[in-house]
Amino acid sequence: MLTTGKAILDVANEKNFAVPAFNISDYAMFNGIVDISEEKHAPLFIGIHPDEVRHIGVDVIAAMTQRAHRSSVPIAIHWDHGATYEEMLTAIHVGFTSVMIDASLQSFADNVAISRKVAETAHAVGLSVEAELGTIGKADSEGEAGTDAIIYTDPVDAVTFVRETGVDSLAVAIGTYHGLYPKTLKPELKLDLLKEIKDRVRIPLVLHGGSGNPDDEIAQSVKLGINKINISSDIKVAYHAKMREVLADAGLREPLNIQPPCIAAMKAVAAHKIDLFEATGKADLY
Ligand SMILES: [Zn+2]
């Protein structure tokens, strides 16, 4: 069923697992991700970044919400990395059930002010809000905008931030980067910091830039209280690596012949993430 981010994440927080948020800007990939989530009986966030919204068009959101309504698993359609209040209004208007406001590059006071305003508006119409404190890095040219160096989330500030804004979930910076890690950059999560934040902040915590991190670190972060993990690069790499292979046959032209093996490759990666996040079978809890 279609539901809000809060409805999904509060259960994940209570039962100590993480829900994957797969970034989608292609309808075939969307269908594949919903299918694998149903096969794994796992709750799901469909994450769509504003750049991806511009690519796919807002009209597709209605089709996605229809698909979610008749799904056997809980699905939130989530506006990823909203930058402005006006973007949030668009998200609400076109049918998203969860929004992220990311003012993490602004001052603490400005981040609090806009996150609070977005939370008040979204809550007025029953939707949920994720905000970000600290900034995650940008690892490659196709990664989302960020800082070259990570600004780690301060646990004390996090308590103040959550209290002042009333947001439903919080994205924290504990060592991940958006995009794919170059060979010179070794991903390393500060798990002690995560533990400290989780001890103080009761709401669900979110990990962005979850692609390319070692599985054991991700598994640890789930055990320590991460409840949503954003995966974009890893599924897109799987999809398009297979597509390059398929398109070696120059005789192919029909998407219905080209896309299915690519979808299958993407689903295999997504299935692995769902297992790693301990989300498999968790749709039963809703
Ligand atoms: Zn992100």
Side-chain angles (χ1 to χ4, degrees):
M1 68 300 251
L2 179 69
T3 188
T4 64
K6 181 175 165 59
I8 292 179
L9 291 183
D10 282 354
V11 174
N13 196 14
E14 192 195 323
K15 302 289 185 185
N16 199 209
F17 64 93
V19 180
F22 292 116
N23 273 80
I24 293 299
S25 49
D26 172 297
Y27 203 75
M29 293 174 79
F30 166 79
N31 274 327
I33 287 296
V34 172
D35 286 348
I36 191 62
S37 298
E38 290 177 343
E39 286 164 34
K40 302 292 284 181
H41 215 54
L44 167 69
F45 274 71
I46 293 293
I48 313 178
H49 185 280
D51 294 341
E52 295 180 302
V53 173
R54 277 185 277 279
H55 171 69
I56 198 170
V58 290
D59 300 322
V60 177
I61 307 306
M64 290 182 172
T65 56
Q66 283 302 310
R67 178 71 186 86
H69 270 302
R70 62 180 177 81
S71 178
S72 57
V73 300
I75 299 177
I77 310 286
H78 177 76
W79 184 282
D80 188 30
H81 287 282
T84 63
Y85 182 74
E86 289 70 22
E87 263 186 24
M88 293 305 99
L89 295 179
T90 300
I92 292 168
H93 179 63
V94 300
F96 283 77
T97 60
S98 177
V99 294
M100 179 192 189
I101 174 70
D102 176 6
S104 61
L105 294 176
Q106 299 180 30
S107 70
F108 183 82
D110 288 349
N111 191 356
V112 165
I114 188 165
S115 298
R116 182 199 289 141
K117 189 175 173 192
V118 168
E120 282 170 357
T121 305
H123 290 164
V125 289
L127 303 187
S128 40
V129 176
E130 171 185 333
E132 179 169 323
L133 185 64
T135 64
I136 48 184
K138 177 179 165 79
D140 67 15
S141 61
E142 293 227 303
E144 291 156 28
T147 45
D148 290 338
I150 297 168
I151 300 167
Y152 291 92
T153 304
D154 181 281
V156 177
D157 284 351
V159 174
T160 311
F161 185 84
V162 168
R163 190 184 58 228
E164 300 276 308
T165 59
V167 296
D168 304 293
S169 61
L170 183 68
V172 292
I174 57 167
T176 51
Y177 288 76
H178 281 128
L180 292 175
Y181 295 88
K183 284 193 180 62
T184 50
L185 183 65
K186 187 177 164 298
E188 196 173 3
L189 300 186
K190 284 190 189 290
L191 294 171
D192 288 352
L193 175 60
L194 170 58
K195 196 169 176 312
E196 212 183 319
I197 298 168
K198 192 72 180 184
D199 283 346
R200 293 164 187 257
V201 175
R202 299 276 170 236
I203 64 172
L205 299 181
V206 179
L207 192 64
H208 281 245
S211 288
N213 292 82
D215 281 357
D216 62 330
E217 275 195 351
I218 294 291
Q220 285 282 339
S221 76
V222 173
K223 294 218 182 322
L224 290 172
I226 290 290
N227 303 118
K228 169 175 173 277
I229 302 179
N230 290 22
I231 296 292
S232 181
S233 305
D234 279 349
I235 57 166
K236 291 169 180 171
V237 165
Y239 183 81
H240 291 113
K242 177 55 86 175
M243 189 171 280
R244 285 185 191 97
E245 210 181 296
V246 170
L247 289 177
D249 179 351
L252 288 175
R253 66 168 177 273
E254 294 294 342
L256 59 85
N257 291 327
I258 293 166
Q259 289 174 351
C262 310
I263 296 294
M266 179 196 70
K267 282 173 70 179
V269 171
H272 173 71
K273 301 292 183 189
I274 291 167
D275 287 339
L276 180 62
F277 302 169
E278 299 184 45
T280 305
K282 295 299 198 296
D284 286 342
L285 297 171
Y286 295 83

